[in-house]
Amino acid sequence: EDWDKESLYFKMEKVLGKDKKGVGDSAYGGKPDKIITTNEFQSQELKKFLARVKNRGESVFVRFKSFNILRNRFRHGSGTENKLKLHEYCTKAIAVIVQYDYENERPPFQVY
């Protein structure tokens, strides 16, 4: 009930479709309708695939973290609404830079 209903988790079905699921870590273990997590009943091949998918996601987060936009306090703007809007602009700009980097210099590893 306290979760942000505008987050990707809640938009997944609309974006991906009803028959698709995301891949997550054990924190999402209680949400098998939307997120696949590694468990003891899966084959080694599936476990390795899920590990590669999670690692690829982590490589994206590492690139975002290198800009320190997610780690440090955002001190620009005045007032909460203005600061949130400016932070959103900066985060989107970093997403564009990371995407450009993927497409032109250092692509993420492939998941097969």
Side-chain angles (χ1 to χ4, degrees), residues 1-68:
E1 295 173 12
D2 294 336
W3 289 20
D4 179 5
K5 302 297 188 221
E6 293 297 313
S7 69
L8 181 59
Y9 176 80
F10 290 99
K11 293 182 178 183
M12 282 176 51
E13 189 173 293
K14 184 177 179 182
V15 173
L16 300 176
K18 287 187 177 228
D19 59 335
K20 303 278 174 130
K21 294 183 180 185
V23 175
D25 58 20
S26 60
Y28 290 98
K31 303 292 181 183
D33 56 321
K34 290 188 179 186
I35 307 290
I36 296 172
T37 60
T38 306
N39 67 50
E40 61 193 73
F41 304 108
Q42 295 165 336
S43 68
Q44 264 321 101
E45 184 180 13
L46 179 58
K47 287 179 183 179
K48 286 181 181 180
F49 174 77
L50 294 175
R52 287 193 307 272
V53 171
K54 289 185 277 187
N55 285 337
R56 184 174 176 158
E58 288 300 320
S59 73
V60 172
F61 297 140
V62 164
R63 291 186 188 190
F64 269 83
K65 287 177 183 178
S66 69
F67 288 91
N68 287 330

Side-chain angles (χ1 to χ4, degrees), residues 46-106:
L46 179 58
K47 287 179 183 179
K48 286 181 181 180
F49 174 77
L50 294 175
R52 287 193 307 272
V53 171
K54 289 185 277 187
N55 285 337
R56 184 174 176 158
E58 288 300 320
S59 73
V60 172
F61 297 140
V62 164
R63 291 186 188 190
F64 269 83
K65 287 177 183 178
S66 69
F67 288 91
N68 287 330
I69 191 75
L70 304 175
R71 183 177 302 163
N72 298 322
R73 176 178 279 174
F74 191 78
R75 299 182 183 273
H76 305 285
S78 59
T80 304
E81 291 298 318
N82 181 251
K83 287 182 179 191
L84 287 171
K85 197 57 152 167
L86 289 174
H87 190 266
E88 177 185 353
Y89 291 150
C90 291
T91 304
K92 286 180 178 180
I94 290 168
V96 169
I97 292 168
V98 170
Q99 180 67 32
Y100 180 86
D101 195 30
Y102 279 177
E103 292 175 357
N104 295 287
E105 294 178 28
R106 296 179 298 152

